[in-house]
Amino acid sequence: MSGFYCPVEPAINPHVGVTEARAVEWLDRVGLGADPRLREEVVRLNVAEFFARAAPEADDEPMQVAVRWACWAHLFLRERGGDEDFMTTAGEVQRALEVPWHAVAEDRFALALQDIALAMHGCATGQQARRFADAHRAWLFTAAWQASLDSMGLAPSLDDHVMMRLNAASGAPTAALLEIAVGEEVPAHEADSPPVRALGEMAVLVTGWDTDLHTGCGVVEVLAEQGRTTVERATEQARAMRDRVLTRFLDLREQVLIGPVSEALRGYLGSLGHAIRGNIDWALGAPRFVGFTEAPAVPGQRGREWADSPADADPSPLPIAAIAWWWDDM
């Protein structure tokens, strides 16, 4: 089985241990660690390592915001994701995030999210906080979309899977948190430009598909079911698709960075590359990918080697309508 192709050098924030310890203390302080089993689960995931790898030069305060939210998000979906009134709860926590100065619901998840939001406003610009809130709303919407499909026993098409994957698994909020962690606000004319938006989406999809490759879920399941093929063959197909997107990401990022761009954008685009590499390195030791949860390990994945070249470097667009525009001339 082929290894992961990712020509980005590994890096890690030297304060990762302190960041993790402070996040665990916060978890207990705000009452999110009440269930011992779920507390152990989120602590063992050590999401601080992922953000330390994605933002190796970030200061501790924005790192705290990122890590605390990741812990919050994991526990929120584990405890509330299957509720019949999930949309009501989602609306409450989203409003809590957007107006953190007054309690909008006497709910521990809403109050904990407000605590995170207040800390965010202390280390981020108003525009950065707004970008995160917008990404958070999309994440909640996608969680509801997935729950709706599950309740009807429906499997997503490949196009639907891709559209959901762009906002599921906290990808979009994580990208917004990385901008905050890097520091400077990316100017709107750069952040909202088609190539920068495409690069952000590509990084989110690659990390999401890497998670699927680690576990044998997600895109692997979709391809196996639609193609009526084995998990092994679906895995190789998913890897080729993933490498094709990563190749486009690296090429487009290089094109963007050749031009006159802000240092804030350079830092943000650098963090996207670190996030792709860091997600792989983090997953190598995260319990989530080695049997701590129910997700099955893909045969042969443990002990894999890195690939020196992409499994598919075809420069033409993938035949997936939702993302074909990434290959447009920008």
Side-chain angles (χ1 to χ4, degrees), residues 1-5 209-210 212-217 220 230-240 243 296-309 311:
M1 180 172 291
S2 302
F4 279 90
Y5 170 68
W209 278 354
D210 282 349
D212 295 346
L213 286 167
H214 282 298
T215 62
C217 299
V220 176
T230 64
V231 170
E232 287 77 9
R233 293 192 65 177
T235 298
E236 290 307 311
Q237 184 180 352
R239 187 182 304 282
D243 285 3
V298 177
Q301 278 291 84
R302 311 317 306 174
R304 60 189 164 272
E305 296 179 353
W306 294 93
D308 294 327
S309 59

Side-chain angles (χ1 to χ4, degrees), residues 5-269:
Y5 170 68
C6 188
V8 177
E9 289 298 316
I12 192 165
N13 195 300
H15 306 298
V16 58
V18 174
T19 300
E20 179 188 6
R22 288 189 60 198
V24 173
E25 290 174 0
W26 173 85
L27 199 69
D28 293 330
R29 175 167 60 81
V30 298
L32 293 186
D35 184 321
R37 182 178 60 86
L38 290 179
R39 181 186 184 280
E40 179 190 7
E41 182 177 305
V42 75
V43 169
R44 288 185 63 186
L45 278 177
N46 190 12
V47 291
E49 181 187 336
F50 165 76
F51 281 102
R53 293 183 179 279
E57 298 181 2
D59 292 334
D60 188 56
E61 290 309 312
M63 286 286 284
Q64 279 299 307
V65 170
V67 175
R68 291 175 184 182
W69 181 80
C71 292
W72 179 93
H74 181 84
L75 291 171
F76 176 71
L77 289 185
R78 292 283 278 140
E79 292 196 34
R80 304 289 176 81
D83 291 355
E84 292 184 0
D85 61 345
F86 175 76
M87 287 304 295
T88 299
T89 303
E92 289 178 348
V93 297
Q94 181 64 27
R95 185 58 180 168
L97 170 66
E98 294 173 351
V99 288
W101 304 280
H102 295 281
V104 299
E106 291 300 321
D107 175 88
R108 61 193 176 96
F109 280 102
L111 294 173
L113 187 57
Q114 286 188 308
D115 189 81
I116 294 170
L118 287 172
M120 178 181 295
H121 281 276
C123 63
T125 67
Q127 181 60 37
Q128 287 175 323
R130 172 54 55 190
R131 288 171 183 166
F132 175 76
D134 291 344
H136 197 269
R137 186 182 300 107
W139 172 70
L140 288 171
F141 169 80
T142 303
W145 182 8
Q146 289 181 308
S148 177
L149 288 179
D150 291 343
S151 69
M152 294 184 287
L154 299 176
S157 66
L158 182 58
D159 255 302
D160 285 346
H161 160 80
V162 168
M163 287 188 285
M164 287 191 294
R165 210 68 177 96
L166 290 173
N167 287 312
S170 66
T174 295
L177 289 168
L178 287 178
E179 183 195 350
I180 294 171
V182 169
E184 293 185 60
E185 175 188 315
V186 178
H189 72 276
E190 293 181 330
D192 297 333
S193 66
V196 174
R197 288 186 57 196
L199 287 166
E201 289 189 353
M202 283 186 247
V204 166
L205 188 62
V206 170
T207 55
W209 278 354
D210 282 349
T211 297
D212 295 346
L213 286 167
H214 282 298
T215 62
C217 299
V219 68
V220 176
E221 293 178 315
V222 172
L223 292 172
E225 181 169 335
Q226 290 195 350
R228 299 185 182 280
T229 187
T230 64
V231 170
E232 287 77 9
R233 293 192 65 177
T235 298
E236 290 307 311
Q237 184 180 352
R239 187 182 304 282
M241 290 165 52
R242 174 261 189 210
D243 285 3
R244 199 150 145 186
V245 174
L246 179 56
T247 298
R248 175 56 177 163
F249 169 86
L250 295 170
D251 290 345
L252 181 58
R253 187 175 67 162
E254 183 177 357
Q255 293 174 33
V256 170
L257 292 176
I258 288 174
V261 300
S262 68
E263 287 303 309
L265 180 59
R266 289 185 184 277
Y268 171 66
L269 296 183

